Amino acid sequence: MDAVTSGATQAKAEEEQARRAKRAALKELNITEAGKEPTKALDSSLKRHTALIKRMRQSLGAEHHDQIMKDIDSLSLEKYVDEIVGAVAEGILRCKTEKDVWSAVEVISAIHRRFPKTFTPALISALSTSLAPPSRATLASLSPEQREKEDSARVSRQRPVLRVCAELALVGVIRDAPDRSGGEWIMKALRDLLSNDPSLSSLPLLLVFLKSYSRPYLGIAPPAFSKQVSTSSEQGTLSEAASQEAAQANGAFPTLLSEEEELVEKEIRDRFKKMCEGYFEIVAKKLVKEHDRLQDQDRRNHEAYIRSGEIFEDRQQEYEKMTKSYEKLLASCQSLSELLYLSMPSLKTASHKTESIQIGVNTGSSLLGGDVDDATAGGGKWEDEEERRFYEEIPDLKDYVPRSVLGLDGEGQEDLADGKEKERIEKEMVEEEFRKLDEELAGMRIDENGQGTSGDRTAKQDDGKSDEEDADNAPTPTPGTPKESPSSTPQLAPQGPSQLLTALLARLPDATNRTLIDQAAVDFAFLNSKAARKRLVKFMSQVPKSRTDLLPHYSRFIAILNRYMPDIGNDIVAMLDEEFRYLQRKKNVVKELGEVRLRNITFLSNLTKFRVVPPHVILHMFKVCLDDFSGTNVENLALLLEGCGRFLLRSEETRVPFAKMLELMRRKQNMVHLDQRQLLLLENAYYQCNPPERTARQVKERTPMELFIRHLIYDVLTKKTIDKVFKLLRKLDWNDALVLRTLHKVFTKPWKIKYGHISLLAMLTYDLHRYHPAFSIGVVDQVLEDIRRGLETNMYSMNQRRIASVKYLGELYIYRLISSSIIFDTLWTLVTFGHPEGRPTPGQPSPIDMPDDFFRIRLVCVLLDTCGMCFDRGSQEKKLDNFLIFFQMYILSKEPLPMDVEFMLSDSLEAVRPKLVMFKSYEEAATAVDEMFAIAYQNAGIVTGDTGDDSGEESGEEDEEEKERDQGEDEEEDEIAQPEEMIDERARSPEAILLKSKQENFGPTEEDEAEFAKELAKLVTDTSAESRKIDKKTALALWDTALPPPVARKKKNEEYDDDGEGTTGDAAEEPGVMKFTLFTKRGNKPQMRQIAIPAESALAIQTRTAQMQDKVEQQHLKRLVLNYEQREEAEELKALEARSRQGPIKIRLAG
């Protein structure tokens, strides 16, 4: 490995030596040959000069190098120096590779040697302008996105320019002085770019420069060690060995050349190197700052996820943007570190955060270091991590307040000894309490009345009181003044501290978080005095009864101070214990002292969890309540269990005695008669502190592909990411049965995604239909099956799924995956399924659709809200109107609607039919439904008698719909044609045959005739008024489009003889049938269709009668015309005879 590394290093050194030799030779040539006149005659042809300039503008790269050099040597160029400068500056921008850059340098050097005074200064000025930093005012006026694009474009332009300028400075074209190189010029250009760049957008330019020119400009050579980072090092840092070797290499590597052979002066190299190292420090600081910001944002996102269960989209996008920016900066900083051979800054990982959030970690370890028994622990003494922090992570006042203020000078060992003595005394008291409990449990006897016979309860209470008094009288070490010393009055205290203490106590009720209450404790420590502590104890005894929310924070406040001011905790505990004894004496006063009891028990519970209340004190209180297991003590026990039961049961020092107390409480609970409320309180409190053991939830094992598909649909799918999700779904292996089955499950369970994303799922189904039609058909079938199954089972637990399925079906129609007939079939199924003969009746309830079940109404409203607005014209409008009539009858067959269902229904009907008039009673709706069915049966009788293709009625509606629209829509026509094809495929209905003989009974009534006449008169009036506005050509065009083609009219006339009977062979073959020609138009193309109608039908009879009347009228008109001609001839003869009687006829002959 070492041999390979040394070989690579040697190869790099040889390459660098070869580049230096080329640069030195070209520099010598540029210095010695600059300004010499050419020895041969030069061409001044305009054409060749123009071609040369054009070629330079295209590129100065290696592909044009030979031709450009040849033209420079053979052309005069004096008159075109300015154009050449512009062409060279433009051609440099297209030099991408190292060969192209060196080709450009040789071309510029050749022109420089011929015109050093006219060409070179102009070119250097143009290059300096190209490398100028962007204007701050211009960047400030741009948006962040525009600024990023502008910086990216600028870096792309300046990258080849900087490389060419660096080479020109090495070969003597760009020089700071006649006897110096151009290193100062390059350093100034880079310094301007980097110093005016707070966003580090010019960092890629520095990286490009250092990759190629770190050796000549900075004097940095590759050291003879491997830059591989060890696996034990943290991410973003170099290994220690590499860093040490790099530090040695910066000043101790063997020089390849002598100082005379260097192309850049040592002073410039040192300054350049120092500038780059300083810039690296700036980049490293920014990297650390961005890393901390990213870690902080990640922590905040994690907390937000725990609080709300999700991370909002804007927060997620901001985090992704920060991550992308940080990764880009990290990569640039690593590259800069490797090029300068400097160590990367140390970046804190997540483990360095002291407040990192731990999910699923067992935080139930004991404070004393003991392990909690698994059988009784059941998850730790704290419910969550936040609660553990609140009760365990208490600040130490010694870190914020001087030791002298806390009274710790010279008393550290005494405090330690006193603390151990206090712990010993408390442990002895707990053991004594535990012994008494064992005795009571061992001698417990339950008589018929449920009372214990093991001893006198009063005597035990007296013993408990004496023990408690002994505990209260125990000496307590105090770091300040003795506990028994007379307290100083507030009047003797200094005016300043008294006012500060008053202000502090006044703001305590507003300190409702950890930060504020911790700061308040520190502020009180600076005001510490005997009088201040007495005032604080008095203040804590006067907490308002309704502000139990302050008690956890006050307990934390007391716990912080109790470590160095034990008298505060002792006094408050004594005050609460005295109040508890008073409440025990007043246990018959229930309502008046209820809030006081709640405050007392809550305060004691919180102080217990902060270990301010000694364990034997809280256990004794629990024991007192157990001894008198009735009345308010039952509520006290429930409050104690809810407040600190979990803590006591899982703490090492109280686990065993408290478990015995719980066992005693459960026994008494079973033997003593309690009301339902008290039983519920005790059960809830018991299971809250000691939840039952449950087996771990079985997590269904899924393959990575299943998890990926579910992640795409359930987590990633949004309006902005739907295209990305669609592309990823298309890339899946659709030939794999597992993938296809998983996709089918996900796409047919819309209730598992957000309700607002169901439309996105339907959109994905529509997009996939173009590539996998069988898959989308299967999805539609499964959705219809789920809706049908929901109607059959009608389970309350499936209601949410049923709503999602109906919503999904409507969205599938919106995206043209199903036709309107499926929607109407579903609507009719929702209101008819399960009812006798499909007709809901108030007196005939259905087992799966009871009168007080309004869920189907909700389903109909959801479907109408989703796609009902699409049925506003043509046959769909009529179908929806018919359904709404039946839907009203269905609603009226139910009991009175609840308010929420009524509002939902009114909103849905208002959206689809704003002017709909609701029926008032079931009878009125049933009458309307009967009339609707009567009309439908009449039309069905006409349609079912047809043996041809389609019915004329629906085609006529199709024509009317096309006339209403400005341009026809093929989708609507296809949907209208679907019911016709379904009718053709079905067998002839027997009901239609029975109705055919009675069809004359379904004629229009007198009211219908009057309404028709009124509408016809209105139509004629409107048509005549509109016809005046139409010119002659438009009218003729409209007339021609409304008539059948001449060929059809001629054929029709030939089919009938003078008697009006058909003479075609079809008529002879089908007796008793009358044929009609239906004229339709699809788009702009007219179509004709033959329809056979039974001769005994009303339509055929009316048509035949009309034909006969027309023929009679035609014969009458014919006779009138013939008689009129005969009368005119007779009158002319009479007039001629009259003139002949009056005189002779004069005849003039023309000569």
Side-chain angles (χ1 to χ4, degrees), residues 13 34 55 83 124 127 138 144 222 239 302 312 334 440 452 494 570 573 613 631 656 720-721 809 838 898 1002 1004 1101:
R55 193 175 291 110
E83 289 83 351
I124 293 175
L127 296 178
T138 304
S239 63
H302 206 165
F312 296 109
Q334 289 176 342
E440 182 174 356
N570 294 334
V573 171
V613 177
V656 177
K720 295 183 179 179
T721 60
L809 184 69
F1002 298 106
I1101 294 173

Side-chain angles (χ1 to χ4, degrees), residues 8 91 118 151 253 272 278 333 376 404 436 474 501 534 618 673 712 792 853 875 926 954 969 1011 1102:
T118 57
D151 288 336
F253 65 89
F272 216 141
C333 189
T376 58
S404 59
K436 292 181 180 180
L501 181 59
K534 289 294 182 183
I618 195 67
H673 177 71
L712 286 181
E792 294 172 352
D853 186 3
S875 61
E954 291 184 357
E969 297 181 0
E1011 184 68 17
Q1102 292 176 4

Side-chain angles (χ1 to χ4, degrees), residues 402-634:
R403 298 175 62 90
S404 59
V405 176
L406 297 175
L408 297 180
D409 294 339
E411 299 181 0
Q413 298 297 330
E414 297 178 4
D415 291 344
L416 182 61
D418 292 340
K420 292 182 178 179
E421 181 66 21
K422 182 179 179 181
E423 290 181 2
R424 185 186 63 79
I425 295 174
E426 290 180 354
K427 188 174 182 180
E428 292 177 357
M429 291 183 177
V430 170
E431 292 177 354
E432 180 66 20
E433 196 74 29
F434 179 44
R435 184 183 60 78
K436 292 181 180 180
L437 282 171
D438 284 340
E439 292 177 357
E440 182 174 356
L441 286 173
M444 185 177 180
R445 297 291 183 272
I446 304 300
D447 58 6
E448 295 177 353
N449 298 326
Q451 301 294 330
T453 60
S454 61
D456 188 21
R457 183 180 301 166
T458 306
K460 291 185 179 183
Q461 291 182 1
D462 293 341
D463 293 341
K465 291 180 181 178
S466 63
D467 293 339
E468 186 67 21
E469 291 173 359
D470 293 342
D472 292 340
N473 295 330
T476 304
T478 306
T481 57
K483 181 179 178 182
E484 306 299 330
S485 63
S487 61
S488 59
T489 61
Q491 289 79 5
L492 298 179
Q495 186 69 16
S498 177
Q499 293 179 350
L500 292 175
L501 181 59
T502 303
L504 174 63
L505 297 178
R507 75 170 188 265
L508 274 182
D510 297 329
T512 55
N513 59 47
R514 291 169 54 186
T515 305
L516 294 178
I517 206 69
D518 294 351
Q519 184 60 41
V522 174
D523 295 342
F524 182 85
F526 283 102
L527 302 174
N528 181 26
S529 66
K530 187 68 175 179
R533 295 195 291 272
K534 289 294 182 183
R535 285 186 63 184
L536 178 62
V537 173
K538 184 178 179 181
F539 176 82
M540 291 296 174
S541 66
Q542 298 174 353
V543 178
K545 295 181 292 185
S546 60
R547 292 300 305 272
T548 55
D549 60 302
L550 297 174
L551 298 179
H553 302 283
Y554 285 180
S555 301
R556 182 180 175 89
F557 180 82
I558 296 168
I560 296 173
L561 299 176
N562 188 65
R563 184 171 183 177
Y564 300 100
M565 307 170 198
D567 54 336
I568 293 178
N570 294 334
D571 292 347
I572 291 177
V573 171
M575 179 268 296
L576 292 174
D577 183 57
E578 182 63 29
E579 186 179 42
F580 177 78
R581 296 173 186 272
Y582 169 78
L583 293 173
Q584 285 295 311
R585 293 192 297 269
K586 297 291 184 180
K587 58 186 175 183
N588 294 328
V589 184
V590 180
K591 294 184 179 180
E592 291 79 1
L593 298 178
E595 293 183 348
V596 179
R597 289 189 179 89
L598 175 62
R599 181 191 63 185
N600 179 264
I601 299 298
T602 305
F603 212 164
L604 284 169
S605 300
N606 282 279
L607 289 173
T608 300
K609 289 189 283 188
F610 280 109
R611 298 183 174 276
V612 176
V613 177
H616 69 276
V617 174
I618 195 67
L619 290 176
H620 176 75
M621 292 179 179
F622 200 89
K623 178 71 166 46
V624 169
C625 295
L626 274 179
D627 290 339
D628 187 11
F629 193 67
S630 63
T632 57
N633 282 336
V634 176

